[in-house]
Amino acid sequence: SAPTQTASVSGSPGQSITISCTVSTSDIADDDSVSWYQQHPGKAPKVILYDVGHRPSGISDRFSGSRSANTAYLTISGLQADDEADYYCASYSNTLTFDWVFGGGTKLTVL
Amino acid sequence: QALLVESGGGVVQPGRSLRLSCAASGFNFNSSPMVWVRQAPGRGLEWMAFVSSDGTKKYYADSVKGRHTISRDNSRNSVFLQMDGLKVDDTAVYYCARGSSDWSYFDYWGQGTLVTVSS
């Protein structure tokens, strides 16, 4: 089943926001197989976190990730106008079958 | 610099077929698993298909299993998605992306190609 994300979140420049992603425990390969993607309108997605809290090269340290039980969190600190985008979490499962499932997405509005 | 360029999208009638291509450059394609991900208009991302670096392992989402086929040609640094029996619900932007070495996430993405299924 698809991870569950809050539909929308908003914050003012400079503030911090957190987006949650609740995953079925049977849907993850291991406890850290959650990634996060940022997508601006009309653009391709871009990975911003993998294995819960690891940042690819070039991704700002304003983006951080954590996990508690079966919920992963994306925190964006020091909000900037360019952070306004859709954010998707994704889980990877290699238990019963190989499967990659995206959450429904969270629309971040920077006020 | 990694680059993925999709092609082959367009308008097609329901029930017809279409073959998407994705040309890769700037990274070691031969050792990279590849996937197709789609996004229907105004909707979220949906993983469609996966192929391992050597092409021997292929996995599909239930929504396309038996209708779509992923393949790759490492000599041409390309991955393909053969889509048969297209339905209106297959209308979407189709992205190819590179899988990480442990298959758990997708690190490089193309800009996508639009497929519209309409009579």
Side-chain angles (χ1 to χ4, degrees):
Chain A
S1 60
T4 302
Q5 296 182 237
T6 306
S8 63
V9 65
S10 62
S12 299
Q15 289 185 332
S16 295
I17 63 94
T18 297
I19 299 171
S20 64
C21 169
T22 301
V23 182
S24 167
T25 53
S26 64
D27 285 345
I28 55 175
D30 56 51
D31 289 344
D32 293 335
S33 54
V34 173
S35 51
W36 289 91
Y37 302 83
Q38 177 193 61
Q39 186 181 35
H40 287 105
K43 300 296 186 181
K46 178 175 72 173
V47 63
I48 55 174
L49 293 172
Y50 64 94
D51 292 350
V52 174
H54 290 80
R55 282 185 303 274
S57 174
I59 300 300
S60 170
D61 59 5
R62 296 187 302 105
F63 296 91
S64 61
S66 61
R67 181 186 59 83
S68 176
N70 64 330
T71 298
Y73 301 93
L74 164 66
T75 297
I76 308 174
S77 58
L79 271 178
Q80 300 177 358
D82 189 53
D83 296 333
E84 184 163 297
D86 293 323
Y87 291 84
Y88 296 91
C89 66
S91 66
Y92 163 56
S93 171
N94 65 356
T95 52
L96 296 178
T97 183
F98 288 87
D99 197 16
W100 293 260
V101 186
F102 288 93
T106 299
K107 170 66 178 175
L108 168 61
T109 301
V110 180
L111 302 171
Chain B
Q1 180 181 352
L3 185 63
L4 294 168
V5 179
E6 302 93 338
S7 60
V11 180
V12 61
Q13 293 178 327
R16 304 297 292 264
S17 298
L18 205 60
R19 188 188 193 220
L20 305 183
S21 300
C22 172
S25 61
F27 63 93
N28 189 348
F29 182 79
N30 290 3
S31 63
S32 300
M34 298 296 295
V35 300
W36 286 94
V37 174
R38 71 181 179 185
Q39 186 170 35
R43 306 294 295 273
L45 301 172
E46 179 186 16
W47 165 75
M48 309 304 305
F50 167 97
V51 62
S52 60
S53 57
D54 61 3
T56 60
K57 298 178 178 62
K58 300 178 183 181
Y59 307 106
Y60 299 92
D62 288 343
S63 58
V64 301
K65 197 174 296 181
R67 292 192 302 124
H68 297 355
T69 303
I70 190 171
S71 62
R72 64 189 295 157
D73 184 343
N74 285 352
S75 68
R76 294 165 54 190
N77 282 9
S78 294
V79 62
F80 309 98
L81 185 67
Q82 176 68 38
M83 302 188 294
D84 298 325
L86 283 162
K87 306 176 182 179
V88 172
D89 286 350
D90 290 319
T91 295
V93 173
Y94 285 74
Y95 297 99
C96 71
R98 188 182 85 154
S100 62
S101 58
D102 65 353
W103 298 11
S104 67
Y105 67 98
F106 312 133
D107 54 6
Y108 301 146
W109 294 68
Q111 286 304 303
T113 187
L114 176 62
V115 173
T116 302
V117 184
S118 173
S119 55

